[in-house]
Amino acid sequence: MNSRRIMAAFPSAADEQVTLANWRQHPYNEWAFRNVRELLPTANIARAPTPAPLSFAPRYLDDVSFADPRGETVGVGQALRASHTDGIVVSHRGQVAFEWYAHGMAPDTPHLIFSVSKSVAGTLGGILADHGKLDPDAPVTRYIPEMEGSVYGGSCTVRHLLDMSVGIRFDEDYMARDGDIMNYRRSTGWEPPDPAIPPSNLRDYLRTLRPNGAPHGETFHYVSTNTDVLGWVYERACGMSYAKILSQYLWQPMGAEHDAYITVDSRGAARVAGGVCATLRDLARFGEMMRNHGISNGRQVVPGWWVDDIRQNGNAEAWSRGDLTKVFPNGNYRNKWYTLDRGETPFAAVGIHGQWIYIDPANETVIARVSSQPLPMDLDLDHMWMRGYRAIAARLAGKA
């Protein structure tokens, strides 16, 4: 299939049409991930009236080299083309040093960021806590009494949601064609309806989830539904929709240049865990704000104590018992952000199919990258790009 033919005719031929049945499959995802609004209902996340300015100091980075999955040396330009990257923005000391787009992407194109959305939600939690709207240590049922009787009832707290330490029975297998992940996707509208299964919606589905017998707080267990519940908590705490909360408390104060948007289900519930679509330049602004201890364009948007909490805390023992040690063997997780190695400074927001915001405070570098990788999780490409991010940051800092 020639990806340039996909959705190029009016109408497109059947095998060139993007649908709910194929939109996350390659090569259809090259078009789909930057045109989500044409496939799913969405809610708008309004930009700032006056965007935070960007300054540019271009650097040549194509020759920065690192090892590819086969152990062979590859340059940045080669790696971008070989890894289905749709775009990348690299900033150093607050200035854009490198910007590159492919597959129809442009500076004003929103792209689906999958679970980078979780880090956005985790950051928003700190803002709401600082405003006195949210108590991270409160039980979930303080905000959503309807969750009593589900895994999110009883002793489950907002902190357990933030740190992915809910003792939940859920198998987040992105390649599965039935079971938990498919039932979840159907409830969000991300899959075609199944005539054999009664229609569902996200919030009703969340109330059906049950415990796995493990105590909350002891094991890192990556389950997207935790973040959707977190977004619902925010809505109850603030009395408005998640999209409006995100715009009012983060997107506008940060100085976003473009509207973002988020997918919603049949009843308007936001896919907080993975449904945000945003431009790369605004993702770079977001990353730069986090590198600068929560300050954007001279304004303290995210409380500094929350950024410190992300970078300094987290439960290393819970991580070591968790399900992502193959990705980050010495990692950590706090407030929906990853520490890549507890002995180093970089931290990151990561989404499936190759979405990243990599922040290296020591080298004053931020890298935002969006992709349409064929596999949801490709550890070879993830590890290649971690080597690449380190190499780029070292070059920009004059260390290589």
Side-chain angles (χ1 to χ4, degrees):
M1 168 65 67
N2 184 343
S3 62
R4 294 183 180 181
R5 297 172 62 107
I6 292 173
M7 298 296 285
F10 305 94
S12 296
D15 63 344
E16 298 166 357
Q17 182 81 37
V18 178
T19 70
L20 283 181
N22 66 16
W23 71 285
R24 295 186 312 277
Q25 300 169 15
H26 195 78
Y28 302 99
N29 60 355
E30 284 186 7
W31 183 92
F33 290 174
R34 56 184 172 82
N35 289 282
V36 172
R37 199 159 238 176
E38 297 189 35
L39 296 165
L40 293 161
T42 62
N44 201 58
I45 300 165
R47 64 188 182 275
T50 303
L54 288 179
S55 59
F56 295 80
R59 296 279 298 274
Y60 183 76
L61 299 179
D62 276 13
D63 63 338
V64 174
S65 60
F66 43 94
D68 72 5
R70 296 169 297 180
E72 298 177 2
T73 299
V74 64
V76 167
Q78 295 169 288
L80 290 170
R81 290 186 290 273
S83 60
H84 307 277
T85 297
D86 298 323
I88 188 170
V89 173
V90 178
S91 65
H92 182 241
R93 295 178 178 172
Q95 295 184 302
V96 176
F98 184 82
E99 189 173 26
W100 182 92
Y101 297 97
H103 308 145
M105 276 290 290
D108 60 351
T109 307
H111 191 286
L112 182 62
I113 60 175
F114 285 100
S115 290
V116 172
S117 306
K118 293 181 174 70
S119 300
V120 173
T123 304
L124 183 57
I127 300 171
L128 298 182
D130 202 56
H131 279 78
K133 299 280 188 180
L134 180 75
D135 178 359
D137 296 316
V140 170
T141 51
R142 176 187 297 181
Y143 301 97
I144 316 174
E146 305 96 304
M147 282 301 186
E148 198 62 68
S150 77
V151 66
Y152 300 110
S155 61
C156 185
T157 68
V158 176
R159 168 54 58 202
H160 297 139
L161 303 178
L162 284 162
D163 291 350
M164 288 289 189
S165 59
V166 178
I168 184 173
R169 186 173 70 241
F170 192 100
D171 182 12
E172 187 135 341
D173 177 0
Y174 300 116
M175 302 300 289
R177 297 309 302 164
D178 57 19
D180 293 332
I181 197 70
M182 288 297 290
N183 292 333
Y184 170 51
R185 285 173 177 159
R186 287 192 191 99
S187 78
T188 67
W190 279 37
E191 286 284 336
D194 185 336
I197 299 175
S200 178
N201 63 80
L202 178 57
R203 292 185 183 123
D204 283 352
Y205 175 71
L206 295 173
R207 294 168 62 189
T208 70
L209 299 174
R210 295 294 180 259
N212 63 1
H216 300 311
E218 290 193 1
T219 301
F220 173 81
H221 181 28
Y222 189 92
V223 174
S224 286
T225 60
N226 298 338
T227 311
D228 296 305
V229 175
L230 183 68
W232 192 1
V233 166
Y234 294 172
E235 291 179 327
R236 287 288 176 83
C238 297
M240 65 179 79
S241 73
Y242 182 77
K244 289 182 179 179
I245 297 167
L246 180 51
S247 175
Q248 179 174 318
Y249 286 94
L250 176 55
W251 212 241
Q252 292 192 41
M254 180 188 80
E257 182 179 3
H258 301 101
D259 287 355
Y261 61 87
I262 188 167
T263 71
V264 296
D265 75 350
S266 59
R267 297 189 181 180
R271 179 84 185 270
V272 178
V276 172
C277 301
T279 66
L280 261 175
R281 287 185 176 179
D282 282 334
L283 295 176
R285 284 181 171 93
F286 176 60
E288 183 64 20
M289 175 187 65
M290 296 301 288
R291 184 186 75 84
N292 282 314
H293 211 233
I295 296 171
S296 180
N297 198 28
R299 178 179 181 178
Q300 189 81 51
V301 179
V302 183
W305 61 266
W306 192 256
V307 180
D308 290 339
D309 190 56
I310 289 168
R311 296 187 57 197
Q312 298 170 9
N313 293 321
N315 187 330
E317 291 185 0
W319 177 268
S320 68
R321 289 190 287 265
D323 40 24
L324 287 182
T325 54
K326 289 183 179 179
V327 186
F328 311 121
N330 195 39
N332 219 333
Y333 194 82
R334 184 70 166 178
N335 301 327
K336 304 205 174 290
W337 285 86
Y338 295 93
T339 295
L340 305 186
D341 188 309
R342 292 189 293 273
E344 300 178 356
T345 65
F347 62 110
V350 185
I352 59 172
H353 294 283
Q355 326 310 318
W356 279 80
I357 301 176
Y358 175 90
I359 303 169
D360 184 346
N363 288 313
E364 302 174 287
T365 298
V366 172
I367 303 173
R369 176 175 156 263
V370 294
S371 306
S372 50
Q373 291 174 191
L375 294 176
M377 292 189 69
D378 190 324
L379 292 187
D380 286 342
L381 288 182
D382 284 336
H383 288 153
M384 179 189 79
W385 273 111
M386 281 190 274
R387 293 189 291 270
Y389 300 147
R390 286 194 294 268
I392 290 169
R395 168 68 67 84
L396 292 172
K399 299 177 181 177

